[in-house]
């Protein structure tokens, strides 16, 4: 895990602080950590740390996957619900023993943030980061996959379920919205 932390900090800056308990004080099987940097100026990154100790299963191929979840926000947004969201989604993966794959929609659950229209999360490859960040190779073991989660609206979640994730990602490419802006307009 030591080399993996170096890998993360090499891409995301030093770990500032973290959470190892939920809002009720219960110890989590993994941590949530906040890093000093994000993929571009004015952003910060959060991730699970230790989720990859459990091999999860792909619901499609049934292959085992080790993964950590990544979340990016503007630094001035503050922590808000981000640690709780990552805790909930990480625990859901462990409890179901299922990895999140590109194109998965998690939710809708109702508003994720106050004054925001986002109700669900979208799982993707971390396209705002260098390609070298997508997977951490481990000798003799499964690589650790970085899965980027970003908030989406109810209408976007519905569009993905009805039209597929590739159509949604084509719209993202076409419209190029700021996926770190939690007040961005719905793209559907």
């Amino acid at each position: 895990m030591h080399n993996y932390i170096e890998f993360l900090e090499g891409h995301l800056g030093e770990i500032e602080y973290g959470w190892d308990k939920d809002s009720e004080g219960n110890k989590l099987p993994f941590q949530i950590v906040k890093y000093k940097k994000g993929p571009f100026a004015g952003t910060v990154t959060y991730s699970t740390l230790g989720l990859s100790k459990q091999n999860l299963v792909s619901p499609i191929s049934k292959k085992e996957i080790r993964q950590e979840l990544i979340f990016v926000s503007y630094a001035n947004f503050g922590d808000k619900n981000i640690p709780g969201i990552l805790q909930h989604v990480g625990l859901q993966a462990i409890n179901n023993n299922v990895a999140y794959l590109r194109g998965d929609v998690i939710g809708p659950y109702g508003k994720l943030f106050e004054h925001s229209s986002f109700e669900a999360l979208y799982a993707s490859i971390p396209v705002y980061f260098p390609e070298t960040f997508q997977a951490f190779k481990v000798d003799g073991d499964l690589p650790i996959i970085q899965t980027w989660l970003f908030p989406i609206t109810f209408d976007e979640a519905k569009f993905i379920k009805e039209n597929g994730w590739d159509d949604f990602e084509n719209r993202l490419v076409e419209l190029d919205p700021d996926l770190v802006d939690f007040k961005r307009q719905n793209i559907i």
Side-chain angles (χ1 to χ4, degrees):
M1 190 58 84
H2 178 70
N3 288 340
Y4 179 60
I5 292 172
E6 288 176 8
F7 167 83
L8 290 170
E9 290 186 327
H11 285 90
L12 308 173
E14 288 181 33
I15 293 173
E16 284 193 86
Y17 49 86
W19 299 261
D20 63 357
K21 295 181 180 160
D22 66 16
S23 61
E24 297 168 4
N26 300 311
K27 185 111 171 98
L28 295 166
F30 54 88
Q31 299 175 59
I32 305 299
V33 293
K34 180 179 182 178
Y35 304 86
K36 289 188 174 187
K37 295 185 334 185
F40 41 87
T43 61
V44 293
T45 307
Y46 299 79
S47 82
T48 56
L49 185 59
L51 180 64
S52 61
K53 290 179 182 175
Q54 177 167 332
N55 292 357
L56 301 171
V57 177
S58 164
I60 295 174
S61 70
K62 306 303 181 207
K63 291 182 182 178
E64 290 188 334
I65 295 173
R66 294 174 66 201
Q67 84 181 160
E68 297 289 350
L69 307 174
I70 308 297
F71 197 96
V72 179
S73 75
Y74 281 106
N76 63 4
F77 185 73
D79 297 333
K80 308 269 192 252
N81 295 349
I82 297 170
I85 289 168
L86 286 173
Q87 289 171 2
H88 175 79
V89 174
L91 287 171
Q92 189 175 1
I94 289 172
N95 292 338
N96 296 331
N97 195 37
V98 173
Y100 296 106
L101 304 179
R102 180 182 184 182
D104 282 350
V105 173
I106 305 161
Y109 292 118
K111 293 201 183 292
L112 297 176
F113 305 108
E114 193 174 325
H115 308 298
S116 172
S117 61
F118 296 111
E119 297 188 24
L121 298 168
Y122 182 76
S124 182
I125 58 176
V127 296
Y128 282 173
F129 295 90
E131 196 172 313
T132 57
F133 182 65
Q134 291 181 13
F136 176 72
K137 309 276 191 275
V138 182
D139 289 338
D141 205 348
L142 295 171
I144 300 173
I145 306 301
Q146 275 50 252
T147 302
W148 178 33
L149 302 178
F150 62 85
I152 59 174
T153 66
F154 179 87
D155 289 339
E156 291 167 345
K158 183 178 173 188
F159 178 87
I160 295 163
K161 288 184 181 184
E162 291 174 354
N163 299 286
W165 64 267
D166 50 342
D167 280 359
F168 178 68
E169 289 196 6
N170 286 339
R171 280 191 182 229
L172 292 176
V173 170
E174 178 186 328
L175 300 172
D176 193 25
D178 182 354
L179 299 175
V180 181
D181 178 3
F182 301 153
K183 294 187 181 199
R184 72 169 171 83
Q185 294 297 309
N186 185 353
I187 65 165
I188 302 305

